[in-house]
Amino acid sequence: MLVIVGHLELAPFLAGGQSRVIAFFALSGFLITAVLLKRYEAHGSISFSDFYLARLARFVPALLVVSVLGLVCATAAANEWWAAASVGSSELAAGLPRLWSQTLNFSLMNGATDLPYEFVPGWSLGIEWQFYLVWPAVVLGVLWAFGLRALCWLALAVAITGFSWSFWLALSVGIEEPRVMYGTDTRGAAILLGCAAAMFALRPAASAWLTRNASRIALIVGITLAVMFTQLFFDSGPHMTSWGQVVVASAVSLLAASLWVHPDAVSFLVLPWLAWLGQRSLGLFLFHVPVMQLFGGPGDAIRTLSVLAMTLALTAACYRWFEQPLARATKRWQKRRAAMSSRTGGRAAAVGPAA
């Protein structure tokens, strides 16, 4: 929601988009790690094929829709059918391989200026997929060899190293340099901190402490994020490449751990309409920019309402007619494979699709 408000230019007092991306990374690291650990505890292993099929079932429908939206927008702009704000079809087509290969962030960090704006929000998903490619194998290997405590310390150590590297690089080349803002090595620390928080929340003593203090944590984190996400005292957007990302990632990771063990600590987060948005958040995130470009970019109240209405409609349709059927088909395949493995004496291990 904050990302959409920022791109539609509805709240100039909000800080830069980097702050929202850092929050997304921390939440994602927490969620994926929690899912992997629960499956490992249940089955004693992690099925990589199940994990990656679940990820593809989650992402492919939305990527297809955003690709079509981008091409429609570029074609409309090229033929002057209406006042669409877009690059030409050739530039957009050239950006498609980078969108689908999840390498948009590499192009941006190297100073690319020819990327279609319709696809630019996907840069953070590129870092997400790079995390997917590495983390399941790391989790399985370290758990087998050294155990959960070692995995937690490894995630925390890499996160601290990543934050330190990002801070040093930001001071050296500039806090708003693309190399710092979009690099996997400078952004990934927030993901790893979320991973460490998930493992921390599973420890009995930590879980008890989080449960006792969940409401206080929620209040402190809420105030912290209210400051960091806005420009109350400073423009915190650029500083998300240096010290600011440590504050936001730590606050979000701590809040996620608290709500994991005590979901009722922030009662409004369980409202049905928020759950509805959360389940469809990937489509909302990817679709709103090309829809905004179809309408000619940010504009007045009528244009904003039109963009929001169309984005919600497309997201709901994609979720119902593409995402859910593909997710159900993936789950059925996983169950059949597990049943076959059980009949042949194997040990099935499945990782289900994450929200």
Side-chain angles (χ1 to χ4, degrees), residues 92-146:
L92 196 112
L96 282 171
R98 285 180 278 190
L99 173 69
W100 281 87
S101 63
Q102 300 298 319
T103 57
L104 282 171
N105 72 300
F106 292 141
S107 298
L108 288 169
M109 66 183 282
N110 289 316
T113 58
D114 60 342
L115 286 178
Y117 185 54
E118 291 86 345
F119 296 162
V120 167
W123 74 266
S124 58
L125 299 183
I127 294 179
E128 185 76 4
W129 266 97
Q130 293 150 30
F131 163 67
Y132 291 160
L133 291 176
V134 175
W135 188 238
V138 171
V139 169
L140 184 60
V142 175
L143 285 177
W144 271 353
F146 304 105

Side-chain angles (χ1 to χ4, degrees), residues 39 60 64 114 141 173 198 244 252 256 270 299 307:
R39 295 299 178 176
V60 166
L64 282 171
D114 60 342
V173 302
V252 172
V270 298
V307 170

